[in-house]
Amino acid sequence: MSLIPARFTPGPANTPYSLQFDDVYHTASGGLGQARHVFIAGNELAARWKGRRTFTVLETGFGLGLNFLATWHAWAADADRCQHLHFASVEKHPLTRHDLARVLSDWPELAPQAAHLLNAWPNLVPGIHRFTFEQGRVVLSLALGDALQVLPELTMRADAFYLDGFSPDRNPDMWSPAVFTQLARLAAPGATLSTWCVAGHVRRGVQEAGFIVERQPGFGGKRHMLAGRFPGPGPTSTGIPDSHRALVIGAGVAGTSVAERLATRDWQITLIDSADAPGQGASGNRAGVFRPLPSLDDNRLARLTRAGFLYGRQHLTQLAERGHPVRWAPTGVLHLARDAKQENKMRAVVEAQQPPDGYLRYVTQEEAARLADWPVSAGGWWFPGGGWIQPPSLCAASLAAGGTRIIPLFGRTLARLERRDGEWAALDADGHEIARAPIAILANGVGLRAVPEAAMLPVRPARGQVSHLPAASGSAPGIVVCRLGYVSPEVDGVRCAGATFVADDLDPQLRDSEHRDNLAKLDFILPGYAADYDPATLDGRVGFRPASPDRLPMVGAIPAVASVDRTTPLADIPRQPGLFAVSGFGARGLVWASLMGELLASQLNGDPLPLERDLVDAIDPARYLLKPPRPMRGEDG
């Protein structure tokens, strides 16, 4: 999973020169001028995004970020711009934040946009990194990795293509038929294309992929450039459509996250929950762990938790910038090895993947003890950007950020759904209609099992008891420490320790036996720490987490059938019209909630998806029709 950052040096006319590709990043005539002439004017953006609700650009090489920043700058200056601009780009060798800041300082007219980009610039790990700017009206999806591997995993309908990158003789893969074929797959009808490159094989390759291209006057010292169009009529309307409407059942981290993400896209949401406030069910703990879970083979769980963690960090920042801060602290998370064998594996992961230190590093037993400010018996992983989040505060911030577009109906209990006149009606136990909308989203945790239309989904309740330990302010540990359980820093005079994981147990009462289990875990994490606590005197909290057999979330359209031929493609499985699920988070709700809300909102709104196609398929609720679920396992805290 390791990425090699870009290496460059000043070249002719002080133009950045790539040491990897032995080529300049842009023409000596000026990178900003090239972006405006070749890509913005070449795709006729001002005329084509005028009055549109959304407009999507896909670029084949992010490079210095000039094309993105110039497009954002042009959008911001255009009174007739589209309502939402989505810019997607691919980059194999991204610049570090330090280097990006250095090169972008040469274009002071882009300083406002560049400052926001630099503030959001990620740890350089593979995958799709999604950033939102302008209160959600400008979105950047930056896919870090080889274009030949990344492009087939993208899901979008691009209205314009920027074919950019180092010259074909220095970077032939970027200008290959495999890339052009993917562009055609991702093109919306009537999509346009432009590039500074006029090489014959590039022109022929783009034409063979289905684009109609022609030469146009080039920029600077280049006589020509290429511009093209994909067949199709283009959008039939430029007017802003009526607001979309949806019901969201459940006001935990899953439901409030998807509600906020849809509200940002101008949807009107009715949120229904039986409690009297958000975050009262499985999302009601005082402090939950926020960190990814790597693996040596970088499997789907590892990739999903990495993507959720990185997007979640961005989302927490965005909520705060919009005036809705979440109560959380990036204290860092120390994940100690269970034993010597696991510690060797944890060290091997870091050695093989070479992640940035700001994301993950291996620490020895001695350094782990210093971080925890307590003697420990093993080394492990240190996530400096991780920490704890108070889930109810995330729920409340999401609702506040949604503003008047989210109508919460607390104290109302869904008894059943009924299809009426092409909409889903939410009914109470007396058969009275609570609300209705064309779209219904089940984010009600284990309550999803009581909805007949979703009964085939193998969501199971996992009872989790957290123990509340009295703690003095400033006492150790001041970080989150995990090892077959977790312990938090002191929060309001209490330290959280736990948690138990008992499948199919719906008893809501605190148990001394589970307090003892949590104290045993605590002693395994921090030897001797639990000695002063009496399980009979401890307070705590019991929640019921919606768990899935494969430990992955369930996000997407709910199947309309209980069984299919197991050779059936996922896309061909019949679905309940307008009925969706966001569930199965298990013990990782805080890591996944924001990203899963963004994913489902993107699916419903027709936006580019923030995850690779194989990961979207991996969390499709219909996957269990093709592969029977295995017995549910416990989760390593």
Side-chain angles (χ1 to χ4, degrees):
M1 62 162 270
S2 60
L3 286 175
I4 300 174
R7 295 183 293 111
F8 66 94
T9 187
N14 207 34
T15 300
Y17 193 90
S18 170
L19 297 176
Q20 273 124 335
F21 291 97
D22 192 23
D23 198 4
V24 292
Y25 271 91
H26 59 74
T27 173
S29 300
L32 184 55
Q34 177 177 281
R36 289 169 170 164
H37 178 89
V38 175
F39 298 112
I40 296 174
N43 281 283
E44 303 174 342
L45 293 192
R48 297 185 58 242
W49 69 27
K50 182 178 181 179
R52 292 275 298 274
R53 183 171 180 270
T54 62
F55 193 90
T56 299
V57 176
L58 174 58
E59 176 187 47
T60 55
F62 190 77
L64 308 180
L66 273 179
N67 293 336
F68 166 63
L69 294 174
T71 303
W72 181 2
H73 186 270
W75 175 90
D78 188 347
D80 296 324
R81 60 183 178 256
C82 54
Q83 189 172 3
H84 294 271
L85 172 65
H86 201 126
F87 194 101
S89 189
V90 178
E91 180 56 54
K92 184 177 182 179
H93 297 296
L95 274 69
T96 64
R97 179 183 284 107
H98 175 268
D99 286 343
L100 189 63
R102 184 153 54 97
V103 298
L104 291 180
S105 65
D106 290 339
W107 293 280
E109 59 265 60
L110 300 178
Q113 289 80 18
H116 288 296
L117 176 63
L118 290 167
N119 187 54
W121 197 245
N123 282 301
L124 300 184
V125 294
I128 299 175
H129 299 254
R130 175 158 290 184
F131 315 101
T132 59
F133 308 102
E134 304 277 4
Q135 296 188 334
R137 293 182 296 162
V138 174
V139 178
L140 170 64
S141 291
L142 180 59
L144 299 184
D146 191 315
L148 293 178
Q149 299 173 4
V150 171
L151 286 172
E153 293 293 337
L154 299 184
T155 302
M156 67 179 64
R157 280 290 174 260
D159 299 297
F161 293 96
Y162 294 1
L163 271 64
D164 201 5
F166 298 106
S167 62
D169 61 330
R170 306 299 170 88
N171 188 17
D173 287 348
M174 187 66 82
W175 307 91
S176 65
V179 167
F180 303 146
T181 297
Q182 290 302 318
L183 301 186
R185 178 183 68 83
L186 296 167
T192 58
L193 171 152
S194 65
T195 179
W196 53 265
C197 181
V198 293
H201 76 278
V202 170
R203 177 175 51 82
R204 291 188 296 272
V206 171
Q207 289 174 324
E208 289 169 1
F211 290 86
I212 301 166
V213 298
E214 63 178 3
R215 289 185 176 182
Q216 290 186 358
F219 172 76
K222 290 189 67 67
R223 183 178 179 185
H224 293 116
M225 56 172 273
L226 286 182
R229 184 176 294 272
F230 196 74
T236 57
S237 172
T238 59
I240 304 299
D242 295 336
S243 295
H244 299 293
R245 295 180 294 116
L247 300 177
V248 176
I249 313 301
V253 293
T256 55
S257 292
V258 72
E260 186 273 334
R261 291 288 77 210
L262 284 169
T264 300
R265 291 163 166 83
D266 304 320
W267 283 56
Q268 192 69 41
I269 308 299
T270 302
L271 184 71
I272 300 172
D273 196 287
S274 58
D276 59 1
Q280 299 302 297
S283 301
N285 287 337
R286 288 171 177 255
V289 183
F290 181 59
R291 62 95 164 85
L293 188 65
S295 70
L296 188 58
D297 60 352
D298 203 28
N299 59 30
R300 290 173 176 176
L301 177 62
R303 292 166 60 203
L304 278 167
T305 57
R306 178 170 72 241
F309 172 74
L310 295 172
Y311 180 80
R313 282 285 315 235
Q314 292 287 338
H315 190 56
L316 290 168
T317 300
Q318 292 283 336
L319 287 172
E321 290 176 350
R322 292 161 61 188
H324 309 291
V326 176
R327 191 165 187 209
W328 81 292
T331 59
V333 176
L334 178 63
H335 187 147
L336 298 171
R338 294 188 300 269
D339 50 35
K341 182 178 180 181
Q342 190 190 34
E343 186 170 351
N344 288 334
K345 289 182 178 179
M346 296 170 93
R347 185 189 297 109
V349 167
V350 175
E351 290 175 350
Q353 299 175 359
Q354 295 292 303
D357 284 350
Y359 174 72
L360 164 66
R361 63 186 178 90
Y362 167 79
V363 293
T364 63
Q365 177 185 349
E366 292 75 16
E367 186 174 0
R370 288 195 297 272
L371 289 167
D373 196 19
W374 193 270
V376 298
S377 60
W381 287 327
W382 171 240
F383 301 96
W388 61 268
I389 298 175
Q390 192 168 85
S393 76
L394 176 58
C395 298
S398 295
L399 290 188
T404 58
R405 293 192 177 277
I406 301 178
I407 301 173
L409 299 179
F410 293 118
R412 304 298 299 273
T413 301
L414 173 75
R416 60 189 175 92
L417 289 172
E418 187 175 291
R419 195 78 175 154
R420 295 178 175 177
D421 301 323
E423 296 188 332
W424 288 104
L427 307 179
D428 63 18
D430 295 324
H432 298 142
E433 185 174 302
I434 303 171
R436 68 163 65 189
I439 300 294
I441 300 166
L442 299 177
N444 52 338
V446 297
L448 179 146
R449 304 188 312 161
V451 179
E453 291 83 357
M456 80 287 293
L457 300 182
V459 176
R460 296 175 62 185
R463 171 190 158 95
Q465 180 171 312
V466 175
S467 300
H468 294 166
L469 314 179
S473 178
S475 59
I479 63 173
V480 179
V481 190
C482 305
R483 193 189 190 198
L484 290 180
Y486 77 94
V487 59
S488 78
E490 173 270 333
V491 180
D492 297 332
V494 170
R495 194 180 305 283
C496 295
T500 58
F501 189 96
V502 186
D504 300 321
D505 186 334
L506 296 176
D507 179 11
Q509 301 302 314
L510 289 170
R511 296 172 180 165
D512 288 353
S513 61
E514 292 189 36
H515 279 319
R516 286 193 292 271
D517 288 344
N518 286 337
L519 291 178
K521 290 178 181 178
L522 178 58
D523 208 52
F524 186 58
I525 299 169
L526 303 174
Y529 198 96
D532 293 335
Y533 295 103
D534 179 358
T537 65
L538 291 180
D539 196 3
R541 188 179 187 279
V542 174
F544 301 95
R545 298 162 292 197
S548 65
D550 58 8
R551 302 196 297 164
L552 299 180
M554 303 178 194
V555 181
I558 296 175
V561 294
S563 63
V564 295
D565 186 300
R566 291 181 184 172
T567 63
T568 305
L570 270 173
D572 293 342
I573 294 177
R575 309 295 175 125
Q576 298 277 359
L579 187 61
F580 298 81
V582 184
S583 189
F585 289 2
R588 298 187 175 89
L590 292 174
V591 179
W592 281 329
S594 297
L595 178 60
M596 295 303 112
E598 174 69 8
L599 171 62
L600 186 56
S602 298
Q603 290 174 325
L604 292 173
N605 205 54
D607 297 334
L609 299 191
L611 280 173
E612 296 88 340
R613 289 203 296 175
D614 69 318
L615 294 182
V616 175
D617 288 349
I619 61 178
D620 190 318
R623 66 189 185 269
Y624 296 108
L625 300 182
L626 305 179
K627 186 176 181 180
R630 294 179 293 180
M632 188 169 64
R633 298 173 292 168
E635 302 202 14
D636 182 353

